[in-house]
Amino acid sequence: MSGNFDEDVGYLKERMAVDKSFDLIFLDLHYAGRKIGMFLVDGFGKDDIMLFLMKFLSDLLPEDLDEKPLDKLLKTYIPYVEIDKTDDLETVVDQVLAGPTVMIVEGLEEAIIIDSRTYPVRGPEEPDMERVVRGSRDGFVETLIFNCALIRRRVRDSSLRMEYLQVGRRSKTDISICYLDELADPDLVEEIKESLQNIDTDGLPMAEKTLEEFVGGRHWNPYPTVRYTERPDTAAAHLYEGHVLVIVDGSPSVIITPATFWHHLQHAEEYRNKPVVGAYLRLVRFMAVWASIFILPLWFLLATNTQLLPEQLAYIGPTESGEVPLIAQILIIEIGMDMLRMAAIHTPTSLGTALGLVAAILIGDVAVKVGLFVPEIILYLAIAAIGTFSTPSYELSLANRLFRIALLLLTYMFGVIGFMAGLVILVLFLMMMNSYNVPYLWPFIPFNYRGFRDVLIRSPIPLKNRRPTILHPEDPDR
């Protein structure tokens, strides 16, 4: 800033194109014998707070600002909590576009930043993807500061850190790195910070998903290397284990790092029931996920290679294959399921039930009656679909679906060898993956007994007295 009021204000008005954008407001004021200009974005500024500040300023006399006017304004005459100063005009531009109000006072070489912004925001409702029968009903929203407050409410620890940075040359998206300083591995925290700071792009139009593609690498790998959650209690539970959270403004999903394959199979519902019930629910979920991947390729293998079946399982496989080859039937239904899923997303809620009835009764029933599909295929694909929808992680369910189709094609082309080769490829592929230097299949590969027990069975909380060793926590004892 030059200290020349007209010059500084003129630069800011031109830089932000105030005259061309109806929602950018410049208030030309005169208080205490000085010219005062305020820049703000309509919709971000709070009217009641602005009126309150202007009332205080109107009571000022010229002699009140004779000595050290900046200090007096900051410490005495501007009654607001979040207030700062800067002498960089580019910082002023960034701050105004981010929401705070900036005040330029004649004779001062620094601008006053008043963080009186408010964002349009919905209530912290329970997320649709992570519903529980019993438990808290609040969920993250699209505002960064609200999400940080929801975590602070559950983690009242003096070592909780909420570090702030901006990503995107043009969007300047607000991001917070959240971790417990006395638990999280410092090397992990620094690695995540560095990966975020190295992002060089115009903006993050899809918030956390764009961010993941920059920091996760392996762009053509369908399996997720980070976990998403919209539940504050789930985020807090991972903080206590030593994980690091990445919160992106504009998204209700919080990124949990690092994340293994098994993190994507856990759900808050397991911990909202007694340990035995939770362990049962987890085992049922595992069975559903495995069924979503393997049951259809395995059925196809046995249906096309009946010599592999013992007499007790001779009923498996269609008696009449019909005019359409089995593999074509399966692929048609797989694609049809994805079409139905996309249609359901774009269908208004009031019509969603009707769409499901049309798909289930008209399409499915008629297709079987006319001989297009074999009834058994409908049965096994329905089981696979139920397993897909039982997967807590939406990203993992989509990745498993792609692998199921790949395994089907391998089985169709190479039979038993293709099926077994597909299993080996999947295991090797997941073995080679890692999330921030954490093996993706830990604690199975490499094997860790305590971690294996906690993954396989939902252990009682009093018995989980050690944090996962793979995270290298500063304090391993809970």
Side-chain angles (χ1 to χ4, degrees):
M1 291 182 62
S2 64
N4 184 301
F5 178 83
D6 294 330
E7 183 179 330
D8 293 336
V9 168
Y11 174 82
L12 292 174
K13 291 174 71 174
E14 181 181 357
R15 182 73 172 82
M16 292 186 285
V18 173
D19 297 333
K20 296 181 180 180
S21 300
F22 77 95
D23 61 334
L24 285 174
I25 297 175
F26 170 69
L27 298 177
D28 191 4
L29 308 172
H30 193 277
Y31 294 118
R34 294 173 181 258
K35 295 180 183 178
I36 296 178
M38 286 189 183
F39 290 91
L40 67 152
V41 176
D42 191 14
F44 288 164
K46 297 179 183 178
D47 294 342
D48 52 348
I49 293 177
M50 296 307 302
L51 290 173
F52 187 69
L53 291 174
M54 292 168 72
K55 181 180 182 302
F56 268 80
L57 292 173
S58 65
D59 293 334
L60 291 179
L61 299 174
E63 53 267 24
D64 293 332
L65 302 180
D66 285 343
E67 296 182 5
K68 298 183 178 179
L70 181 61
D71 290 341
K72 287 185 177 180
L73 286 172
L74 291 174
K75 299 179 181 179
T76 306
Y77 297 126
I78 299 181
Y80 198 71
V81 177
E82 297 180 74
I83 192 167
D84 201 359
K85 61 182 179 179
T86 182
D87 60 356
D88 187 352
L89 288 175
E90 289 303 317
T91 301
V92 170
V93 173
D94 293 341
Q95 288 292 325
V96 171
L97 297 178
T101 299
V102 173
M103 180 188 298
I104 309 295
V105 181
E106 183 182 13
L108 300 185
E109 295 183 356
E110 291 181 284
I112 299 173
I113 302 171
I114 305 169
D115 195 352
S116 59
R117 59 185 156 181
T118 180
Y119 289 123
V121 63
R122 61 183 175 89
E125 303 166 354
E126 183 179 18
D128 291 333
M129 297 288 292
E130 299 176 88
R131 291 184 179 274
V132 293
V133 177
R134 294 188 183 276
S136 61
R137 303 297 177 187
D138 58 347
F140 291 123
V141 294
E142 287 77 12
T143 305
L144 177 70
I145 194 67
F146 281 23
N147 293 342
C148 293
L150 288 171
I151 294 175
R152 283 277 182 189
R153 182 182 181 186
R154 289 168 170 81
V155 185
R156 302 178 182 179
D157 192 321
S158 60
S159 70
L160 179 62
R161 301 289 181 263
M162 298 275 190
E163 298 192 18
Y164 170 83
L165 67 152
Q166 289 185 329
V167 173
R169 291 193 302 265
R170 295 184 181 276
S171 70
K172 294 183 172 58
T173 304
D174 296 329
I175 293 176
S176 175
I177 302 173
C178 178
Y179 61 95
L180 286 170
D181 192 36
E182 295 178 358
L183 298 184
D185 180 11
D187 294 335
L188 172 63
V189 175
E190 288 302 318
E191 182 179 357
I192 294 174
K193 283 185 195 176
E194 185 177 351
S195 64
L196 294 175
Q197 291 168 348
N198 289 338
I199 296 176
D200 185 19
T201 184
D202 280 342
L204 305 178
M206 295 299 167
E208 81 290 349
K209 288 303 296 181
T210 306
L211 190 76
E212 180 200 353
E213 293 191 15
F214 275 100
V215 302
R218 300 180 180 86
H219 305 304
W220 301 107
N221 182 352
Y223 281 91
T225 55
V226 299
R227 182 185 177 185
Y228 297 98
T229 184
E230 296 184 30
R231 296 188 61 89
D233 51 0
T234 300
H238 283 81
L239 281 176
Y240 289 127
E241 287 188 348
H243 291 266
V244 179
L245 309 181
V246 179
I247 311 171
V248 184
D249 188 44
S251 170
S253 298
V254 167
I255 297 175
I256 300 173
T257 60
T260 67
F261 180 85
W262 313 104
H263 280 110
H264 296 280
L265 299 182
Q266 298 180 5
H267 193 273
E269 181 70 14
E270 299 163 3
Y271 293 93
R272 293 292 184 177
N273 292 281
K274 297 287 287 182
V276 173
V277 177
Y280 167 75
L281 293 176
R282 179 172 293 184
L283 290 176
V284 170
R285 180 173 289 111
F286 282 176
M287 292 171 59
V289 173
W290 302 143
S292 72
I293 302 175
F294 300 115
I295 192 168
L296 203 55
L298 182 60
W299 174 84
F300 178 77
L301 175 66
L302 297 177
T304 54
N305 296 270
T306 54
Q307 71 276 10
L308 299 174
L309 288 169
E311 292 184 3
Q312 297 84 351
L313 300 178
Y315 60 87
I316 292 179
T319 55
E320 296 181 3
S321 59
E323 298 296 330
V324 181
L326 284 181
I327 186 64
Q329 295 182 36
I330 295 174
L331 293 178
I332 290 172
I333 300 179
E334 285 278 11
I335 296 174
M337 287 290 292
D338 283 328
M339 293 170 61
L340 178 62
R341 178 181 61 84
M342 290 186 286
I345 292 174
H346 302 306
T347 302
T349 305
S350 57
L351 301 177
T353 303
L355 176 65
L357 291 174
V358 169
I361 297 177
L362 295 182
I363 300 177
D365 188 51
V366 173
V368 171
K369 287 182 178 179
V370 301
L372 179 61
F373 297 145
V374 175
E376 272 190 81
I377 290 181
I378 302 291
L379 170 65
Y380 289 107
L381 192 71
I383 296 174
I386 292 173
T388 298
F389 296 136
S390 300
T391 308
S393 169
Y394 180 66
E395 292 76 20
L396 182 65
S397 69
L398 294 178
N400 287 340
R401 183 179 302 174
L402 289 178
F403 176 76
R404 180 175 72 223
I405 295 174
L407 188 58
L408 270 168
L409 294 176
L410 284 173
T411 306
Y412 167 69
M413 291 185 289
F414 304 107
V416 177
I417 295 177
F419 183 82
M420 298 305 299
L423 296 182
V424 173
I425 291 172
L426 176 64
V427 174
L428 292 177
F429 181 71
L430 296 179
M431 282 176 56
M432 296 171 61
M433 290 179 56
N434 64 76
S435 175
Y436 287 99
N437 297 321
V438 172
Y440 200 57
L441 289 183
W442 185 92
F444 287 81
I445 303 173
F447 184 78
N448 179 276
Y449 170 73
R450 184 183 292 271
F452 174 83
R453 182 196 66 188
D454 290 341
V455 163
L456 190 62
I457 301 175
R458 190 290 218 194
S459 304
I461 296 299
L463 299 184
K464 296 182 67 173
N465 54 7
R466 304 287 292 179
R467 295 185 175 85
T469 56
I470 198 66
L471 295 177
H472 307 292
E474 293 288 280
D475 180 9
D477 188 0
R478 287 179 183 267

